[in-house]
Amino acid sequence: MTTHSAPKQRKTKWNRAVSQKFYLHICQQLHSVCQLSDDINEDKVIKCIDDYIDTGRAGVDFTDTETVVFTLLQPLIDKAIEHPIPEKISSRITKPEKAYRSIFDKRSHKATSHSFYTKGKSLE
């Protein structure tokens, strides 16, 4: 008897100017606030946040409470858009520099034993 597993579905790639973790955190905060006030339409504010992230504009008619909520979230969104490089990617960029530093001791400016020219001896 053989069993067949369901075909693995690929995750859709996140193509937003902010990280998925940040976006989910903002939505979670918005959901918590919406539970406290009947004056906030969660779907309308999320649509506005989506538009703001994608186009940089928020063209939705808000209630006063929704305006306050969006105004408080807007600087956080702006900051997240300004820093789009996740830590994983930025750490990959510096790997060649780390390799260079492993060959030369930055403090003493001497070649280490890994250097081809010194054959295991440090330069004076």
Side-chain angles (χ1 to χ4, degrees):
M1 181 172 146
T2 60
T3 59
H4 298 284
S5 61
K8 293 183 181 180
Q9 293 186 8
R10 289 187 163 199
K11 292 182 181 179
T12 56
K13 189 173 180 178
W14 185 256
N15 291 323
R16 288 263 168 96
V18 297
S19 72
Q20 188 173 12
K21 181 179 178 181
F22 172 80
Y23 181 78
L24 293 174
H25 178 70
I26 291 291
C27 289
Q28 184 182 26
Q29 286 182 329
L30 181 62
H31 181 72
S32 298
V33 169
C34 289
Q35 290 178 342
L36 301 174
S37 174
D38 293 333
D39 193 32
I40 302 171
N41 182 343
E42 184 175 359
D43 294 332
K44 187 164 83 171
V45 177
I46 287 179
K47 181 175 178 356
C48 181
I49 289 171
D50 291 342
D51 291 343
Y52 186 73
I53 290 171
D54 295 338
T55 64
R57 290 177 291 197
V60 179
D61 292 330
F62 282 140
T63 63
D64 290 339
T65 310
E66 290 169 341
T67 303
V68 170
V69 169
F70 182 77
T71 303
L72 291 172
L73 292 175
Q74 192 172 6
L76 299 173
I77 296 168
D78 290 340
K79 187 175 179 179
I81 290 172
E82 289 175 10
H83 302 287
I85 299 178
E87 187 124 351
K88 289 180 185 177
I89 294 172
S90 65
S91 68
R92 288 185 208 140
I93 293 170
T94 60
K95 283 185 180 179
E97 182 181 347
K98 289 178 185 176
Y100 175 79
R101 286 183 182 175
S102 69
I103 294 172
F104 292 95
D105 181 8
K106 188 175 182 181
R107 286 175 275 145
S108 66
H109 301 290
K110 297 178 183 177
T112 63
S113 62
H114 299 292
S115 176
F116 173 74
Y117 297 105
T118 62
K119 296 183 183 177
K121 298 178 185 176
S122 59
L123 295 174
E124 294 288 322

